[in-house]
Amino acid sequence: MTESPANERVVIRTPDQRLRVFVSSTLQELAEERAAARQAIEQLRLAPVMFELGARPHPPRDLYRAYLEQSHIFVGIYWERYGWVAPGMDISGLEDEYRLSGERPKLIYVKHPAPNREPGLNDLLNDIRNDGDASYKPFSTAAELGELLANDLALMLTESFETTRQEPAPPTEAVEARPVHNLPLSATPLVGREDEVAALRVLLLREDTRLITLLGPGGTGKTRLALQAAAEVAPHFKDGVLFVALAPISDPGLVAPTIVQTLGLAEVAGQAAAETLKGYLAGRQMLLVIDNFEQVVEAAPLLSDLLSASPRMEVLVTSREVLNLRGEFTFPVPPLELPDLRRLPPLEPLSKLSAVALFVQRAQMVKADFQLAESNAAAVAEICVLLDGLPLAIELAAARCKLFTPQAMLARLTGTAHASTLRLLTGGAKDLPARQQALRNTIEWSYNLLDAGEQQLFRQMGVFVGGCTALAVEEVISKVSDSPIDVMDGIASLLDKSLLRSAPDSGDGEPRFDMLKTIQEYASDLLDASGDCEPAQRAHAEYYLAFAEEAASQLFDAEQALWLQRLETEHDNLRAALNWSLDHDEMQMGLRLIGALWQFWYYRGHVTEGRSWAARVLAGATGTTAERATALKAAGVLAWAQNDYKPARGYLEEALALNRELGDEYGVAATLNNLGNLATDEGNFVLARAQLEEALALLRKRGDQVSTTIALHNLGAMLAELGDYEAARALTEEALDLYRKQGNTSGIFVSLQNLGELATLRKDWTIARSLYEEGLAIGRELGDKRGMSLSLASLGRIAIIHGDYRGARPLLEESLTLLRELDEKKYIASTLEKIAELAVGEGNAVQAIQLWGAAEALREQINAPMSTFERSQLEQNVTAAQALVGDADFASTWQQGRAMPMERAIQAALPLLKVE
C-alpha cells in the first residue's frame, strides 16, 4: 500500500460506521459460500451488499452498478462458472461487476479444486492476477472462506482504508469523540445545499434555537438536508443524535411510542410513553431529528413538553406545514440553484449549479457515459427549471436518460401531447403547495412512460405500507387480476425507473422493496381511483393475516428470533390490515389478527399499541366465537404484562367463560394458564395452583407438547414462590427437557435461570453456577441482552456469597450496563439490590442502604414487587447493614435512597464495581 501524501491523513472507518461490502459471485453454485461471506461481514458490523436479483436470468446492469457505487469494498468469490452473458454484452455480469469495481479495495477468493472451470472465468482470473491490485487467495470450504474474509476485513479496518485531505484542527471546545447516533447512511453525496447546511449548523449550535422546523413540500430534500446538518453537529451533542422516522405513522397517539421504540426504551407499566420519554431525556444533551411530522401535526404539543422537561435537548423537524409552537424557528427549504435560461453560463459554471449537478450525477448512475455538453446543456437547464429545482423531480427525470436524450425528454415535457401536464405543473389544485403540484406531475409524467403492465403493477403496489417482499407482491397482485407482465421483471423495471427502491430485508435474504413516501401516496391515489382498490386492499389484508398466523405458529421453535424480526419488518403492513378490518367491519379478520400478533407485541415491547388494537377490535366484535375468545385472552395477557391486573382479570375470565361455553378444551387450558400467572403475581397462590394444575392436566391430556411445556414452567415458578422447591425443580427440569427437544432457545434459557435460582436456594453453588453459565452462553449466542444480564447478575451474587468481591464486580457491572441500555427497570432494581449486598460485604453499609431504598422506590414505581426468592435474600443482608449503622441512621439513609432517581442510583452504584 503506497504512503499518503503529507497533506493527507489516514481515516480509519470503524464497524459502527457501516462500511458496505459488495459481494460478487454466481448464486447457485456458491450459495453456501455466500451465506458464510454474509455472516463474516455482519460479524464485523459491516453491511453486506449482495445483489440477490442476480438470481434472475439477466439482472439489470444499472441496478448492480448502483449497488457497486454505494459500496466501499469489493469481494469476489469464484469457482467454476463464468456466468451468463446478456444480449448486447461481450462479458458476463460477473466479470462486468469486477470491471466496474474501479479503485475500491478488492478481496478475491477462488475455490479449489475446480476441474470444470469455464474458460471465460479462467481468463478473468488471469487478468485479476496480472492486475496486481487485488488480494487473491484460494479456499476449499465455506467455513474456510468465512474465516479468511473475516480476518482480511478486520486487517483492512485496522490499516488505512481511505485518505482525505487534512482538515484544520477542530476548535478546542469541540467534543473529541463522535457520539453514537443512528443517522441513516446516504447512498449518494449531497449535491449543493452548502449554504443551507451552514445556516442550519449555526442555528443548531445557538442556545436560543431549540426547535427548528424544515419546511417544504414532498421532494424538496428536507430529510437529506436534516441528516447532513445533524451529522455535522453531532460532536457537539454529548448524548448523541437520534433520527426518528414518522413516515409510516398517521396516528398522533403513536408518536411518543415510536420515539420510545427508536430509543430502545422499555415500556413502563402504568406510565404513558410521553412520561417515559421525559424521564429518559431529562438532563441529556441530545438532538432529536424527527422526520415527516406533517401527518401527525396534532402531536406537536408533545415536542413542547419534551423540550420543557429537557433543557439541554434540541429538536430538528421536517414537515410540510408549520407546527405553530412557541419558540419554533421555521427554516423553509428552497429549491436547488437554477440557471438563468435567458443568459446560460458556459459549461463549467453551469455544471456547478446544484440543480444541474444533481441531474448530471443521477443521469450518470443510469448511463455511465452521460456528459453535460454543448449539445444538451440548454435542454438540461430547461428541464431543471421546468421541474422547479425540486431534487426528487430532477432525480426522476434524470433516470430517464437511459431512454431519452435531454432534448427528447424536453420535447415530451413541452410538446402538445403533454401541455396539460405543464399547466398542472404551474397551476394545479389551489389547496396544494405549488411545488407539491410540480412533484405530483413529475411522478405522473414518469408514470405515463410505463407500459400498461408496469402501470398496473405500480398502482397495485400502492396498497403496501412501509415496503414489502417480492413474494408479497406476487401473492397479492395475483389475487387482484392477471398481470400482463412477470412481477419480478416489473419490479426490476420500476427499480430501474426510480419509482421503487431496494430496502433492507428482514434478515433472511428475501429481497424487499419500498417506495418513497410521496411516490407511494401517488400510487395509492391511482389505486383508489381504479377498480382494483377494494380487491387489492382485501387481498393485502388476507395475505398479511396469513403471514401473521404463520409467524405465530413459529414463535416457539428454533427460528423464533427470525420470525419476530419478520413481524417487526412488516409491522406497518400489519397495521394497515388491522385498519382495513376495522374500516370494513371485517371483525373476524380483526380478531384473528389480534390472536396472531399478541405474542409479537408482548416480546417486542409494543404492549401499549397491542392493547389499543385489541380494545378497538373487541369493542366492535360480538358473538360467541373461538376467535373472540383468543382475542380476549390476548388482551388479558397484554394487560397483565403491564401489571394492570383488574382489566387483565376481566378479559381472561370472560375468555375462560367463552371457551367453556364453546367446549374448547385447549382454549380453557391456555386461559387457565394465564389466569394462574396472574394469581401468582397477585399473591393468591391457592388459586394460582388450582388453575395452573388444571391447565397442565388438560394440556397433557391433549398431548400438546409446546403448551404443556409452558404450563410446566409456569407451575414450577409458582411452586417456587410457594416454597415447594423440590416440586418446582422437578417440573422445571421436565420443562427444560421438552424445551431442548423443541429447540426453543428462549425457553431453555428461562428454565436454566429458574433451576439456577432453585439450586441457589439449596446452596448448591456448583450446580447453580453451571446452570447460570450455560444460560449466559445461550444469551451471548442469541444476542439476548436481557437474558445475559440476568445470568451475569446471578453469577455475580454467587461470587459475593463466596467472598469473591473482585470477581463479582465485572459481572454486576456488565449486567447493570446491559439493563441500563435496555431500560429494564424491574431488573435494574434487582441488580442494584445485589450491588448493595456487595457493598455490605465490603463494609460500605451506607451506600448499600441507599441502593436498597432506591430499588424499593423503583419497584413501587413500576409495580414490580420482589419475588419470595429475592425477598429471602434481602432480609439477612439488610439486618447486617442495620446493625452497622444503627436504627436511626438506617431509616434516614433508606429514605435518602428512596428519593434517588434511577439514573442517580446507577451512578452511585457504578463506582462500587470498579476493579482496583
Side-chain angles (χ1 to χ4, degrees), residues 340-392:
D340 184 345
L341 296 180
R342 295 168 299 180
R343 291 183 294 275
L344 279 182
L347 282 181
E348 180 64 17
L350 177 64
S351 69
K352 295 185 182 303
L353 295 175
S354 57
V356 175
L358 178 63
F359 185 99
V360 172
Q361 182 197 82
R362 298 300 193 265
Q364 289 174 343
M365 289 180 67
V366 298
K367 187 174 174 58
D369 60 352
F370 180 86
Q371 295 291 333
L372 189 69
E374 295 290 348
S375 60
N376 62 24
V380 170
E382 189 170 352
I383 289 170
C384 291
V385 171
L386 280 172
L387 300 180
D388 242 352
L390 293 168
L392 179 57

Side-chain angles (χ1 to χ4, degrees), residues 217-219 320 387 390 392-393 396 421 424-425 428-429 432-448 458 499 517-529:
R320 299 184 195 181
L387 300 180
L390 293 168
L392 179 57
L396 289 168
T421 299
L424 288 171
L425 281 168
L432 292 176
R435 289 183 179 84
Q436 187 173 354
Q437 297 172 37
L439 176 60
R440 185 174 182 85
N441 285 281
T442 300
I443 300 171
E444 181 179 23
W445 168 75
S446 187
Y447 170 78
N448 287 334
F458 175 78
L499 290 170
K517 183 73 168 92
T518 48
I519 295 178
Q520 191 274 334
E521 289 174 355
Y522 180 77
S524 180
D525 287 347
L526 290 177
L527 184 64
D528 287 343

